[in-house]
């Protein structure tokens, strides 16, 4: 009897139901996380930009306020070879060397930061040494004290100028309808300050006529460098007064360096 009951088909048994196979549904988290690992879409950009691309960080810094305030957005701009920085420094001293073309695809911030920090040290140290030579020449037996405030003034003037002036011109160019690049302006203005580093070595000479000649030459070279590169960036637009104002402002910086640090 037991064998007869066990041989009956299960579908004829009372209460038996066919098995239901549950279909697996893809989780919402997996489908949403997949595209996020493939590409990055910065605001204001219509195409794909790899996360490692400097341009991607540049778009985030320029168009996204969260990226603008994040230090990680500027990390790719400090990843630059020494020979590239040296080549750009040489181009900044020789303005006709198409500096603008060299930074079109890959502007850096390492060079401008290094140049600004070096210039702060040179102005503070050599400015004090220059006043020492002047005083010893006029009053050989007089007392001289190191002016620590030169360090504060040099840091505020150099870094304030290198950051605020390009940012101001960036917003002005945006106002005139030009597609300006903030990092590119920071890069260009930072390299324009290099000429004042070797000039400060000659400004310690205790001769006012010689000092004025040096600062006029350095200021003219730096101003012309800014003028040429800003002119290339605004080519085809009616912003000539703005470009000329940048030239005048750069030369005014040179005069301030002479009057305040090497008077």
């Amino acid at each position: 009897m037991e064998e007869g009951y066990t041989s009956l088909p299960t579908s004829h048994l009372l209460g038996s139901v066919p098995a239901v196979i549950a279909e697996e549904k893809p989780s919402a988290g997996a489908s949403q996380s997949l595209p996020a690992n493939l590409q990055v879409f910065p605001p204001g950009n219509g195409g794909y930009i790899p996360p490692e691309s400097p341009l991607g960080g540049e778009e985030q810094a320029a168009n996204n306020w969260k990226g603008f305030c994040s230090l990680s957005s500027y990390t790719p701009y400090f990843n630059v070879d020494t020979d590239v920085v040296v080549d750009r420094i040489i181009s900044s001293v020789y303005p006709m060397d198409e500096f603008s073309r060299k930074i079109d695809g890959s502007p850096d911030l390492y060079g401008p930061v290094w140049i600004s920090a070096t210039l702060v040290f040179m102005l503070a140290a050599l400015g004090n040494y220059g006043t020492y030579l002047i005083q010893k020449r006029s009053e050989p037996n007089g007392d001289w004290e190191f002016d620590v405030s030169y360090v504060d003034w040099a840091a505020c003037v150099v870094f304030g100028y290198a950051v605020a002036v390009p940012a101001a011109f960036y917003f002005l160019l945006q106002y005139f309808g030009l597609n300006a690049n903030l990092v590119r302006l920071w890069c260009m203005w930072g390299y324009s300050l290099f000429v004042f580093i070797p000039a400060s070595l000659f400004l310690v000479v205790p001769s006012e006529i010689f000092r004025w000649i040096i600062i006029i030459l350095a200021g003219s070279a730096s101003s012309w460098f800014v003028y040429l590169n800003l002119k290339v960036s605004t080519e085809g637009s009616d912003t000539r007064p703005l470009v000329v104002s940048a030239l005048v402002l750069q030369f005014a910086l040179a005069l301030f360096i002479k009057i305040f640090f090497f008077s």
Side-chain angles (χ1 to χ4, degrees):
M1 293 294 292
E2 294 179 358
E3 294 178 359
Y5 284 112
T6 56
S7 63
L8 291 175
T10 57
S11 60
H12 292 266
L13 296 179
L14 182 63
S16 64
V17 294
V20 178
I21 301 176
E23 296 182 359
E24 296 183 358
K25 297 182 179 180
S27 61
S31 62
Q32 293 177 358
S33 62
L34 182 58
N37 296 328
L38 294 178
Q39 55 191 11
V40 178
F41 293 93
N45 182 60
Y48 163 70
I49 296 179
E52 296 82 5
S53 172
L55 184 58
E58 174 185 323
E59 290 289 338
Q60 289 180 347
N63 298 325
N64 189 336
W65 285 109
K66 182 181 293 186
F68 181 85
C69 300
S70 175
L71 293 178
S72 60
S73 301
Y74 303 100
T75 303
Y77 301 106
F78 290 89
N79 186 18
V80 59
D81 295 333
T82 304
D83 56 345
V84 175
V85 175
V86 172
D87 180 59
R88 292 177 177 181
I89 288 175
I90 296 174
S91 298
S92 69
V93 179
Y94 182 62
M96 307 303 293
D97 198 21
E98 297 185 359
F99 178 86
S100 180
R101 178 183 55 82
K102 294 183 178 181
I103 66 171
D104 271 342
S106 57
D108 74 282
L109 294 179
Y110 175 82
V113 170
W114 177 83
I115 290 172
S116 300
T118 305
L119 183 58
V120 168
F121 171 78
M122 298 288 280
L123 291 180
L126 297 180
N128 273 282
Y129 185 62
T131 56
Y132 168 79
L133 293 178
I134 290 289
Q135 181 174 338
K136 287 300 180 182
R137 185 179 182 182
S138 58
E139 300 178 9
N141 298 325
D143 296 331
W144 177 83
E145 294 182 359
F146 185 88
D147 193 350
V148 184
S149 65
Y150 273 29
V151 179
D152 300 331
W153 275 102
C156 292
V157 170
V158 173
F159 282 105
Y161 182 88
V163 174
V165 171
F169 273 86
Y170 166 76
F171 288 112
L172 287 174
L173 293 174
Q174 291 282 347
Y175 175 78
F176 283 105
L178 296 175
N179 188 19
N181 186 311
L182 180 58
V183 177
R184 192 174 181 277
L185 291 176
W186 274 335
C187 179
M188 184 266 292
W189 246 286
Y191 279 100
S192 72
L193 300 177
F194 173 78
V195 69
F196 295 113
I197 294 178
S200 61
L201 294 172
F202 295 98
L203 289 174
V204 299
V205 176
S207 172
E208 279 297 304
I209 296 178
F210 182 77
R211 286 181 174 183
W212 278 111
I213 293 174
I214 293 298
I215 202 62
I216 289 174
L217 292 176
S220 299
S222 181
S223 301
W224 188 246
F225 172 80
V226 171
Y227 174 81
L228 288 180
N229 287 279
L230 200 58
K231 184 180 179 181
V232 172
S233 302
T234 60
E235 192 172 3
S237 61
D238 189 17
T239 56
R240 184 177 179 84
L242 190 64
V243 177
V244 173
S245 65
L247 183 148
V248 174
L249 195 61
Q250 190 77 3
F251 195 80
L253 173 68
L255 296 180
F256 180 85
I257 290 176
K258 165 62 183 74
I259 295 173
F260 187 87
F261 295 99
F262 299 95
S263 58

